[in-house]
């Protein structure tokens, strides 16, 4: 077991982000078994869930003549348009069944406001509203978070960056993440950005060894 001040954040482990989903992350399914080996090492496990209304502004389908991958301005922020994904109440938005969900204490939903996207599990992309995750973790004495999930170059990256900004020590579990790589090199650049901002990068086996568990 890792000490009580360390929490694990599972980012967006939802059907729509698996290779067969609406917004497929290549090899996204590979993250699930790694997550399952890590989960028992943590006393506090939380998850984020992309949870959009059907009229969400990040969906290309909600803008005339726009396609996924194009960039628009959405309420003053640059917005990449995505395929329809993680619509509230749909199967695609559910956490993957194969994920060991028993010890997840709390799920923080994001992207619920149709006017703004939300990559980070802590804040929307304009830092206008908090999801309450930072406060919730701090109330429980958490000072360090370990982050895994999908996708490395979007929701994982911004969760890590916001975590650091909120004053948490943050570790990215590199082999328990996969990225979109819309432009080749995005994933590698995201890791460099996270390290540059102060995040530690570790592998799941390193963490399991620290926790006294077998990889
Ligand atoms: Zn989304």
């Amino acid at each position: 077991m890792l000490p009580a001040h360390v929490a694990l954040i599972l980012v967006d482990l939802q059907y729509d982000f698996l290779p067969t989903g609406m917004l497929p992350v290549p090899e996204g399914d590979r993250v699930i078994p790694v997550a399952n080996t890590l989960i028992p090492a943590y006393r506090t496990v939380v998850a984020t869930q992309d949870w959009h209304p059907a009229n969400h502004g990040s969906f290309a389908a909600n803008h005339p003549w726009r396609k996924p991958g194009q960039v628009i301005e959405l309420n003053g922020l640059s917005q990449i348009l995505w395929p329809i994904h993680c619509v509230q109440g749909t199967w695609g938005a559910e956490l993957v069944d194969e994920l060991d969900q028993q010890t997840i204490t709390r799920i923080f939903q994001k992207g619920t406001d149709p006017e703004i996207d939300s990559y980070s599990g802590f804040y929307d992309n304009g830092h206008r509203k908090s999801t309450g995750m930072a406060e919730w973790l701090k109330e429980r004495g958490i000072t360090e978070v370990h982050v895994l999930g999908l996708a490395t170059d979007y929701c994982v990256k911004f969760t890590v960056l916001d975590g650091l900004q909120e004053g948490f020590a943050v570790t990215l579990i590199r082999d328990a993440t996969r990225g979109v790589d819309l432009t080749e090199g995005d994933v590698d650049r995201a890791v460099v950005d996270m390290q540059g901002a102060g995040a530690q990068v570790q592998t799941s086996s390193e963490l399991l060894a620290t926790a006294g568990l077998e990889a």
Side-chain angles (χ1 to χ4, degrees), residues 12 14 17 23 50-52 56 58-59 79 82-83 85-86 110-111 117-119 155:
D12 294 7
Q14 298 165 263
F17 296 123
L23 207 177
D50 215 24
W51 193 247
H52 298 306
H56 198 261
S58 75
F59 299 163
Q79 172 71 49
W82 300 108
H85 65 277
C86 297
K110 60 192 182 64
D117 210 356
S118 200
Y119 293 151
C155 295

Side-chain angles (χ1 to χ4, degrees), residues 133-143 163 165-168:
M133 184 160 75
E135 298 80 352
W136 190 92
L137 291 169
K138 286 175 187 175
E139 278 167 15
R140 279 153 188 84
I142 306 294
T143 55
Q165 210 171 58
E166 281 293 328
F168 295 101

Side-chain angles (χ1 to χ4, degrees), residues 93-108:
E94 285 178 23
L95 296 190
V96 176
D97 256 347
E98 288 74 18
L99 178 69
D100 176 7
Q101 298 179 29
Q102 284 184 2
T103 58
I104 298 177
T105 331
R106 178 83 194 256
I107 297 172
F108 293 91

Side-chain angles (χ1 to χ4, degrees), residues 11-173:
V11 177
D12 294 7
L13 296 177
Q14 298 165 263
Y15 285 108
D16 271 343
F17 296 123
L18 297 189
T20 45
M22 292 296 284
L23 207 177
V25 179
E27 297 185 353
D29 53 328
R30 305 261 190 105
V31 164
I32 307 293
V34 185
N36 287 344
T37 61
L38 285 163
I39 285 169
Y42 296 85
R43 290 176 171 88
T44 304
V45 180
V46 297
T48 68
Q49 185 177 32
D50 215 24
W51 193 247
H52 298 306
N55 65 342
H56 198 261
S58 75
F59 299 163
N62 288 329
H63 303 276
W65 301 108
R66 294 294 183 176
K67 290 179 183 172
Q70 292 181 333
V71 178
I72 63 161
E73 196 180 288
L74 186 65
N75 295 303
L77 292 176
S78 175
Q79 172 71 49
I80 302 171
L81 292 175
W82 300 108
I84 294 170
H85 65 277
C86 297
V87 174
Q88 296 173 2
T90 64
W91 177 75
E94 285 178 23
L95 296 190
V96 176
D97 256 347
E98 288 74 18
L99 178 69
D100 176 7
Q101 298 179 29
Q102 284 184 2
T103 58
I104 298 177
T105 331
R106 178 83 194 256
I107 297 172
F108 293 91
Q109 294 175 331
K110 60 192 182 64
T112 53
D113 180 346
E115 302 294 321
I116 191 163
D117 210 356
S118 200
Y119 293 151
S120 156
F122 290 100
Y123 288 96
D124 60 63
N125 290 1
H127 272 237
R128 290 169 196 165
K129 270 185 213 150
S130 159
T131 60
M133 184 160 75
E135 298 80 352
W136 190 92
L137 291 169
K138 286 175 187 175
E139 278 167 15
R140 279 153 188 84
I142 306 294
T143 55
E144 180 175 341
V145 294
H146 296 177
V147 182
L148 65 76
L150 307 169
T152 323
D153 37 354
Y154 292 96
C155 295
V156 169
K157 172 181 165 181
F158 288 99
T159 300
V160 165
L161 295 181
D162 277 350
L164 290 164
Q165 210 171 58
E166 281 293 328
F168 295 101
V170 183
T171 294
L172 171 76
I173 311 172

